[in-house]
Amino acid sequence: MPRKSVILLLAIAILGTVVVIYYSSYYKGMTSRQTLHGFDSPVENDYSEGETIYFHAKYRKGHKGKVNFPKGSVNTQEQYRMRTTTEVSKTSTPSTTPTTGKKGVSTDGLKKTKYMRFNKTAPPWFTRDDVEKMVFLATANISKVLPHIHPGLNPIVFDDYRFRNIRISDMEQCESQCGLLKSTEDIFEVFSFHLDRVLGLNRTLPAIARKFRGHPEFGYPSMDGKARPLIWWSTDVVQGHGKFQNDQNSLELSWLNYTTVLKNRCWADGTTPDSEDFCTPIKHIEWSKLAMFDFLLQVYDRLDRNCCGFNKTLETQGEKCFTDGRYEECETPEVLMLVHMLTRKSDPSRLVYIDNAGRPFRSERNIDWRLLQGIDEFPEGAVALLRDPNVFRRRLLQSLYIDMAFWKSVGLKTVMEAVQNAVNRGQLLVEYIDKKGIAVVPDY
């Protein structure tokens, strides 16, 4: 073979290797500070908004087609900034998003940690209590691991100098030093927590991703070094009521009773229900928040645990509801039950969301629309944010970037796909609201 041909082939091989290494680094965790320098630059009172815009615009410019972004790519940071701050759907009426006018939460006095990438202020969709719990979960030392009836769950008691004299043998004895460590399969519990806060729903418990390498009480699975979701444990959540899966409910509610509650509009906008109406203590708007949240994440377990809202396809046939026979019960709605219906002792009118990993990558053709059945109103702040997909996407990315363990464990490409899927589902929900003429109301 001629010498020039050999040199040319070697050059092509070297160039190909460089390209493969570059894109592998790009998509598998994005560890390069040169690529992510925008996120690391501190910007006071703005939580790196400009930097996030720059990074997001760069991703869109260089990777059109990799993720299903709306038409109309942006080529410069300034163009993108103008678009994200002024673009509102022409079909919507002017409204405010959940954080309009709010200032970020100061992080002064909190323990500094590289695992929670806060600036001097946290984004305004978090409360100070949220930030404190996130930092605590990310940094606290383990005191002990408690037994749990569900496999794959590890209740953790952390060291807390305020409760040194309290010996905890049960999660109900926890005051403010316990968390629930779940499996790697549930890592998108972290995603759901950030989505909940960005939308202004505030119904999930704080969650972060954390690695525990080789802790003896976790057993062999913890030795893989993978990040797992760690969720705050609150004794204020009511559990153990009702005969049906009593450890997962604050109240027992069948599907037929649920549809009746929706029709009766119990406690809607401060009204008192008639004495003859079947109602629960839960406010009417709480069901719309839950339906919105579950639809965006495709969490079917609560409202549609029998999978009555989607068909058995190659994508869905592995769902437990198809393999254990629950799907067959859809023909007899009187036996269908809701689960994970949880409230707080301090406020039984508000729901608490647990087990929220959902199906962030479920395709649009297999979306469960039954989750929205019977809903006749949605909170205006969350809907306003969904109507502006660019602002929604940017805020969710900003929020998720805070959790370093989640971001690096999942990887940028997966994060971007999950975020874009939530944005796309948000657009589907807005179209559904407009088509059905569903009311958009102030929160109450």
Side-chain angles (χ1 to χ4, degrees):
M1 183 181 293
R3 184 177 180 182
K4 290 184 178 180
S5 299
V6 173
I7 294 174
L8 179 61
L9 290 173
L10 286 173
I12 292 173
I14 292 172
L15 180 61
T17 302
V18 170
V19 169
V20 169
I21 292 174
Y22 173 79
Y23 279 97
S24 176
S25 171
Y26 195 96
Y27 285 128
K28 293 182 180 178
M30 295 298 294
T31 57
S32 170
R33 288 189 62 84
Q34 182 179 3
T35 308
L36 280 178
H37 76 279
F39 281 97
D40 292 328
S41 303
V43 177
E44 293 186 17
N45 302 321
D46 190 29
Y47 198 68
S48 305
E49 180 174 357
E51 284 74 9
T52 310
I53 292 171
Y54 164 74
F55 172 75
H56 188 202
K58 180 176 179 180
Y59 182 88
R60 291 182 66 183
K61 180 179 178 182
H63 297 272
K64 285 181 285 185
K66 296 295 184 182
V67 180
N68 184 25
F69 287 110
K71 293 181 179 179
S73 61
V74 179
N75 294 320
T76 67
Q77 178 180 355
E78 187 58 31
Q79 287 174 329
Y80 191 75
R81 181 188 296 276
M82 292 173 62
R83 182 173 181 177
T84 55
T85 54
T86 61
E87 181 186 18
V88 179
S89 172
K90 294 181 181 179
T91 62
S92 65
T93 56
S95 185
T96 57
T97 60
T99 56
T100 299
K102 290 180 64 176
K103 293 184 178 180
V105 177
S106 172
T107 59
D108 291 345
L110 294 179
K111 184 176 181 179
K112 301 298 181 184
T113 170
K114 65 180 181 179
Y115 300 109
M116 291 288 113
R117 296 186 282 204
F118 291 115
N119 288 328
K120 293 182 179 179
T121 58
W125 44 87
F126 292 119
T127 64
R128 172 76 180 192
D129 186 64
D130 286 335
V131 176
E132 289 176 353
K133 285 180 169 59
M134 292 165 71
V135 171
F136 180 83
L137 288 172
T139 60
N141 294 323
I142 297 175
S143 174
K144 65 169 65 174
V145 179
L146 300 175
H148 198 276
I149 60 173
H150 291 287
L153 298 180
N154 295 116
I156 297 174
V157 181
F158 292 103
D159 290 331
D160 192 326
Y161 67 91
R162 295 170 296 176
F163 303 99
R164 287 188 183 277
N165 296 326
I166 300 178
R167 293 186 176 183
I168 296 175
S169 58
D170 185 271
M171 292 293 278
E172 292 302 316
Q173 298 173 326
C174 289
E175 293 292 335
S176 63
Q177 73 277 40
C178 294
L180 193 64
L181 186 68
K182 304 187 76 172
S183 72
T184 54
E185 295 176 354
D186 297 311
I187 191 65
F188 274 86
E189 289 263 11
V190 179
F191 183 95
S192 68
F193 163 65
H194 287 270
L195 176 66
D196 168 70
R197 293 306 193 265
V198 167
L199 288 173
L201 304 179
N202 302 319
R203 294 296 178 265
T204 63
L205 300 170
I208 61 111
R210 187 167 173 180
K211 297 179 181 179
F212 293 96
R213 289 187 173 88
H215 194 282
E217 293 189 71
F218 292 148
Y220 178 77
S222 70
M223 304 177 78
D224 58 11
K226 293 181 180 179
R228 287 168 164 74
L230 180 58
I231 301 158
W232 184 260
W233 178 268
S234 173
T235 54
D236 191 37
V237 177
V238 180
Q239 298 193 49
H241 287 202
K243 297 178 181 179
F244 186 78
Q245 294 194 357
N246 61 355
D247 65 309
Q248 298 287 300
N249 292 286
S250 298
L251 68 160
E252 187 162 297
L253 199 62
S254 69
W255 170 257
L256 293 181
N257 285 341
Y258 167 68
T259 57
T260 301
V261 166
L262 294 181
K263 290 176 183 177
N264 290 338
R265 293 180 52 81
C266 303
W267 312 104
D269 200 19
T271 59
T272 302
D274 294 334
S275 57
E276 63 269 19
D277 288 343
F278 177 80
C279 282
T280 69
I282 299 167
K283 292 182 179 180
H284 186 62
I285 200 168
E286 288 295 302
W287 302 114
S288 68
K289 292 178 180 179
L290 177 64
M292 170 185 284
F293 182 77
D294 282 1
F295 181 81
L296 295 176
L297 290 165
Q298 285 300 289
V299 178
Y300 71 83
D301 306 66
R302 269 184 284 262
L303 297 173
D304 187 21
R305 66 182 297 273
N306 295 74
C307 305
C308 303
F310 53 87
N311 297 318
K312 187 175 182 179
T313 66
L314 288 176
E315 184 181 23
T316 63
Q317 64 183 359
E319 296 287 358
K320 191 174 181 180
C321 55
F322 289 122
T323 60
D324 66 6
R326 274 184 280 151
Y327 181 71
E328 314 305 328
E329 297 177 347
C330 293
E331 300 297 326
T332 52
E334 60 272 13
V335 304
L336 303 181
M337 300 295 294
L338 276 58
V339 295
H340 300 166
M341 295 294 114
L342 298 171
T343 60
R344 291 184 178 274
K345 299 172 186 175
S346 58
D347 188 357
S349 69
R350 305 288 187 187
L351 290 170
V352 180
Y353 309 159
I354 66 166
D355 288 355
N356 305 314
R359 305 295 185 275
F361 305 105
R362 175 66 52 80
S363 65
E364 290 185 10
R365 66 180 178 273
N366 285 315
I367 278 182
D368 190 346
W369 290 92
R370 182 182 171 92
L371 302 174
L372 304 178
Q373 187 172 321
I375 301 298
D376 60 3
E377 66 181 23
F378 285 102
E380 65 178 6
V383 173
L385 183 58
L386 295 180
R387 288 191 186 278
D388 196 335
N390 288 316
V391 173
F392 178 34
R393 183 189 305 112
R394 171 165 48 86
R395 288 183 182 178
L396 190 50
L397 279 171
Q398 286 177 320
S399 199
L400 291 167
Y401 183 75
I402 291 170
D403 194 319
M404 186 182 75
F406 174 81
W407 187 275
K408 290 191 173 183
S409 175
V410 174
L412 177 66
K413 184 173 185 285
T414 302
V415 171
M416 292 295 290
E417 288 175 352
V419 168
Q420 191 57 42
N421 284 343
V423 171
N424 292 343
R425 291 171 184 174
Q427 294 302 291
L428 290 176
L429 180 56
V430 168
E431 292 172 7
Y432 176 86
I433 291 171
D434 293 339
K435 183 179 178 180
K436 298 288 186 180
I438 297 175
V440 178
V441 301
D443 198 358
Y444 57 84

